[in-house]
Amino acid sequence: MANNKTSERLQRFRSEKAVAHRLKRKRFESLQRTGSSEGDGPVMSACVDCGWGRLIFAQTFDDAGELVSALREEAPDHRDIAVYVADPHVLLAEAPQEIFLDPSHTFRLDLSTYRSGRRQPRGFFVRRLTSEADARAVNRIYAARGMVQVRPDFFWSNRDSRAITYLVAEDEATGEVIGTVTGIDHMRAFSDPEQGTSLWCLAVDPQARHAGIGETLVRRLGEHFKARGAAFMDLSVLHDNEQAIALYEKLGFRRIPAFSVKRKNSINERLFASPLEAYDALNPYARLIVDEARRRGVHVEITDAEGGFFRLSNGGRSVHCRESLSELTSGVAMSICDDKAVTRRVVERARLIVPEQMTAGDDEAALQTFLDRHGRVVVKPARGEQGRAVAVGLATLDEVRAAIKAAREVCDRVLIEACFEGEDLRLVVIDFKLVAAAIRRPPHVIGDGRSTVRQLIETLSRRRAAATGGESTIPIDSETERCLSLSDLTLDDVLEEGRDVVVRKAANLHTGGSIHDVTAIVHPRLVEAAIKAARAIDIPVVGIDFMVKSPTDPDYVFIEANERPGLANHEPQPTAERFLDLLFPLSGHRAARNALGKM
């Protein structure tokens, strides 16, 4: 018995000693000053330009004053970060009005003990950034995630850099870049004696349909640095980003006491300034506009966060808005857009191409004749939004009857239109100029050979909700079941690996659709038709929906006009900027350029 107690005490002592050693190691790692400026030792005052800003390695600076001077050299529209700051309280005392302590945690992955994951990515692969097209795709993802963009030529000019590594995830089916991560090799950047590395700018396309993209990018970067002989890989993550922290801890990262300091600027404002009251309750569409207004110095008053209402004021002018709908849109224009039958008549008189349409009634013979003439039809409520009760591609009278019944729960009057095969194109027109164009695609899942269709839909729906702040989810309802039946599937069937199935025909974003920017390639005739529709309705901000064979083809059929288009869906296009230009022409960068005679 005595031997057992002695053994327990010895084990407890060893455990406490090990914990004390780990705490001591954590306290000092990466915080001590590095090297000297003489000989072949570590580089002093080391900085790495990452395109979005510089990483300033604080442990290579002689004193706090020198480090503050480096932060003051931050370029316009960039975000520099001083990392591994040993005494942040001393640094902040040097310039308390100019700099702030970043509210992020630093996590470290010990590469000597790291083991690669056994799970192989499905439907995508990770590779090095290799082209300017890759660089543009990375910027598109940055914009969609609210991150600072980088000049594409910067990526390209640094593609062979020994200090910077760019990895991208590519969709095997489409060839689209759907994720990215940047790695910094500290040894090659400033001869770091600790042989450290760091991970930055992990971002996944919010429209991506595959699971595990972020995890795979982190693992590949860690494996890359481990093969180079690096000792560890660090990263910085906001303290309240619970989802990301959970991923990093799962991969074996542990938190270390390292701190970062940034300069106060408009990009970092939300990290150091008091937030607007009720700001967090705004949806992404309202938040995008509010953020742009605050960047310009336009006063913001949130009047009803849950509804997306806010008032913008600048230079004696005040405009009340609900997301992208403002007082500049007349009640008449809003009424035209609100009733899809009226919208169709207005744009038809402006000589746009519209589908044949009828109103659902009690005359089943007329309904059958309409169905026979067109083969497939669309059923939708005359008034409604966000794709509710819209059924696409109906081919039988029974399907049409069921869709009419569902649509009448949204609006008493139900419309039936000829169905045109093709892609759903949204064109955002602000001040009668095209600002963005995007193809909207319906939600679809890819089988893994293990999960049921229901499980795949639920997983994709959670990812879409997380990527859109809860704005996009995939309903599991009779319309979903109808679409699956077209592929001889039910919700409880296990989908074989690699099989791609569309689960809803409508491409509306609120019901799980995805959006893909085509502004650079959209055909001029489509642009002309969208602007003509906006002028016919006489509406200053509108989303015009066409069905098209291709965004590069001039053929189209008008579908509807949305008086409150979601501007947050169209990054990297400057939708919020053009909206603020419309409301307050003398605000922002454009006014400054005009004042200087630069157009």
Side-chain angles (χ1 to χ4, degrees):
M1 190 73 172
N3 288 338
N4 287 340
K5 288 184 178 179
T6 302
S7 177
E8 288 176 5
R9 282 198 299 269
L10 182 61
Q11 186 175 357
R12 187 166 59 250
F13 171 76
R14 287 173 176 170
S15 176
E16 290 172 351
K17 184 178 179 181
V19 169
H21 172 72
R22 288 196 298 271
L23 288 173
K24 181 179 179 182
R25 183 183 64 183
K26 285 177 66 178
R27 190 175 299 118
F28 294 106
E29 59 194 357
S30 292
L31 298 181
Q32 64 265 41
R33 187 172 165 277
T34 297
S36 70
S37 58
E38 299 178 359
D40 296 326
V43 175
M44 299 305 297
S45 304
C47 302
V48 175
D49 187 357
C50 299
W52 41 263
R54 297 173 301 156
L55 286 178
I56 303 172
F57 292 92
Q59 71 269 43
T60 67
F61 282 73
D62 284 327
D63 56 51
E66 184 184 354
L67 187 52
V68 168
S69 295
L71 283 165
R72 285 172 175 156
E73 295 172 1
E74 180 181 71
D77 297 322
H78 283 60
R79 181 175 61 178
D80 291 351
I81 308 175
V83 295
Y84 304 120
V85 178
D87 297 310
H89 54 295
V90 175
L91 186 61
L92 292 175
E94 286 282 327
Q97 302 303 318
E98 297 179 63
I99 60 177
F100 69 98
L101 183 63
D102 182 35
S104 295
H105 296 321
T106 302
F107 281 80
R108 171 165 294 179
L109 180 66
D110 185 345
L111 294 177
S112 65
T113 60
Y114 170 71
R115 297 292 179 265
S116 301
R118 295 181 179 179
R119 179 182 176 184
Q120 295 299 312
R122 297 178 182 273
F124 68 94
F125 59 92
V126 174
R127 59 173 175 80
R128 298 287 288 266
L129 182 146
T130 59
S131 68
E132 291 191 55
D134 286 347
R136 289 192 295 271
V138 168
N139 263 336
R140 174 181 55 78
I141 296 173
Y142 284 176
R145 289 300 189 181
M147 299 163 66
V148 180
Q149 297 180 58
V150 179
R151 296 190 331 270
D153 64 295
F154 180 89
F155 284 117
W156 188 238
S157 63
N158 284 275
R159 67 190 184 281
D160 296 323
S161 170
R162 291 169 58 82
I164 307 177
T165 298
Y166 298 112
L167 298 182
V168 297
E170 179 180 320
D171 188 301
E172 289 180 350
T174 65
E176 292 180 347
V177 170
I178 53 177
T180 179
V181 70
T182 301
I184 305 295
D185 189 326
H186 302 178
M187 184 64 186
R188 299 186 181 191
F190 62 95
S191 301
D192 180 15
E194 290 189 291
Q195 296 182 310
T197 64
S198 54
L199 176 155
W200 300 90
C201 298
L202 175 65
V204 176
D205 189 338
Q207 310 297 338
R209 54 186 178 166
H210 303 291
I213 298 171
E215 177 179 340
T216 303
L217 285 165
V218 174
R219 287 189 179 278
R220 292 292 184 272
L221 188 63
E223 292 159 8
H224 168 74
F225 284 141
K226 182 174 182 176
R228 281 188 174 186
F232 59 81
M233 182 171 71
D234 289 351
L235 58 81
S236 179
V237 58
L238 279 173
H239 70 96
D240 58 356
N241 191 344
E242 296 177 358
Q243 186 177 7
I245 290 172
L247 168 63
Y248 299 139
E249 289 179 338
K250 167 190 167 185
L251 296 179
F253 284 83
R254 59 186 175 83
R255 187 177 163 191
I256 64 170
F259 304 97
S260 299
V261 169
K262 297 176 181 175
R263 205 166 159 268
K264 293 180 179 179
N265 59 30
S266 60
I267 297 170
N268 295 322
E269 184 177 5
R270 67 186 181 88
L271 300 178
F272 65 85
S274 298
L276 282 170
E277 187 177 353
Y279 174 84
D280 290 340
L282 292 173
N283 63 37
Y285 308 110
R287 194 175 298 173
L288 179 80
I289 297 169
V290 166
D291 288 345
E292 175 62 20
R294 297 187 77 191
R295 276 194 289 270
R296 294 178 180 223
V298 173
H299 177 72
V300 178
E301 176 193 357
I302 299 174
T303 54
D304 185 80
E306 288 76 9
F309 289 88
F310 50 88
R311 183 179 296 280
L312 305 179
S313 305
N314 187 56
R317 177 184 176 88
S318 177
V319 183
H320 207 181
C321 306
R322 184 184 187 190
E323 300 165 14
S324 63
L325 177 66
S326 77
E327 293 173 332
L328 275 64
T329 296
S330 71
V332 172
M334 187 171 172
S335 296
I336 292 172
C337 292
D338 184 54
D339 191 319
K340 295 176 177 62
V342 176
T343 314
R344 178 186 176 279
R345 292 196 296 269
V346 168
V347 300
E348 185 179 23
R349 285 194 290 269
R351 299 186 178 179
L352 268 73
I353 301 169
V354 298
E356 186 177 350
Q357 185 184 88
M358 67 172 289
T359 301
D362 297 328
D363 190 347
E364 287 206 352
L367 183 58
Q368 184 65 62
T369 300
F370 190 88
L371 183 59
D372 291 341
R373 184 159 63 249
H374 297 291
R376 292 183 181 275
V377 298
V378 177
V379 172
K380 56 188 178 183
R383 304 176 70 178
E385 59 182 5
Q386 300 182 350
R388 286 179 295 180
V390 175
V392 179
L394 308 177
T396 69
L397 193 58
D398 286 342
E399 289 178 336
V400 174
R401 287 197 200 100
I404 291 172
K405 182 179 179 181
R408 280 185 174 144
E409 294 181 5
V410 175
C411 178
D412 290 339
R413 192 156 46 90
V414 176
L415 304 176
I416 304 167
E417 288 183 348
C419 181
F420 288 84
E421 297 296 330
E423 295 187 290
D424 188 323
L425 177 67
R426 162 64 62 90
L427 300 108
V428 176
V429 177
I430 299 178
D431 198 16
F432 306 110
K433 302 178 184 69
L434 180 75
V435 177
I439 290 293
R440 302 189 297 178
R441 293 177 181 146
H444 52 113
V445 296
I446 300 175
D448 59 10
R450 302 185 305 273
S451 307
T452 65
V453 175
R454 184 190 301 273
Q455 290 170 330
L456 293 171
I457 292 174
E458 289 172 346
T459 299
L460 178 60
S461 187
R462 284 194 297 270
R463 291 206 304 272
R464 295 291 296 126
T468 60
E471 291 295 311
S472 178
T473 56
I474 305 172
I476 296 180
D477 55 17
S478 59
E479 174 61 12
T480 307
E481 292 176 331
R482 184 189 72 80
C483 291
L484 290 174
S485 68
L486 298 176
S487 301
D488 296 322
L489 290 169
T490 70
L491 288 165
D492 297 321
D493 288 336
V494 173
L495 198 59
E496 56 265 34
E497 184 174 351
R499 184 177 176 186
D500 192 327
V501 175
V502 174
V503 298
R504 293 183 75 87
K505 290 290 186 180
N508 192 280
L509 299 183
H510 287 85
T511 55
S514 58
I515 191 162
H516 308 267
D517 183 71
V518 294
T519 308
I521 61 171
V522 67
H523 196 282
R525 184 179 171 190
L526 302 179
V527 177
E528 179 185 344
I531 293 172
K532 187 182 292 186
R535 290 197 180 279
I537 301 169
D538 194 18
I539 186 168
V541 179
V542 66
I544 301 295
D545 294 341
F546 292 155
M547 286 299 295
V548 299
K549 295 178 180 177
S550 163
T552 59
D553 191 289
D555 295 335
Y556 72 91
V557 172
F558 174 88
I559 301 301
E560 64 183 41
N562 189 318
E563 76 280 3
R564 185 163 49 100
L567 302 186
N569 298 323
H570 293 275
E571 288 94 351
Q573 303 307 326
T575 51
E577 291 92 323
R578 298 295 83 82
F579 182 73
L580 266 293
D581 287 345
L582 171 70
L583 269 55
F584 304 103
L586 298 181
S587 70
H589 298 298
R590 188 174 73 170
R593 288 197 301 271
N594 291 345
L596 295 171
K598 298 177 181 180
M599 299 299 290

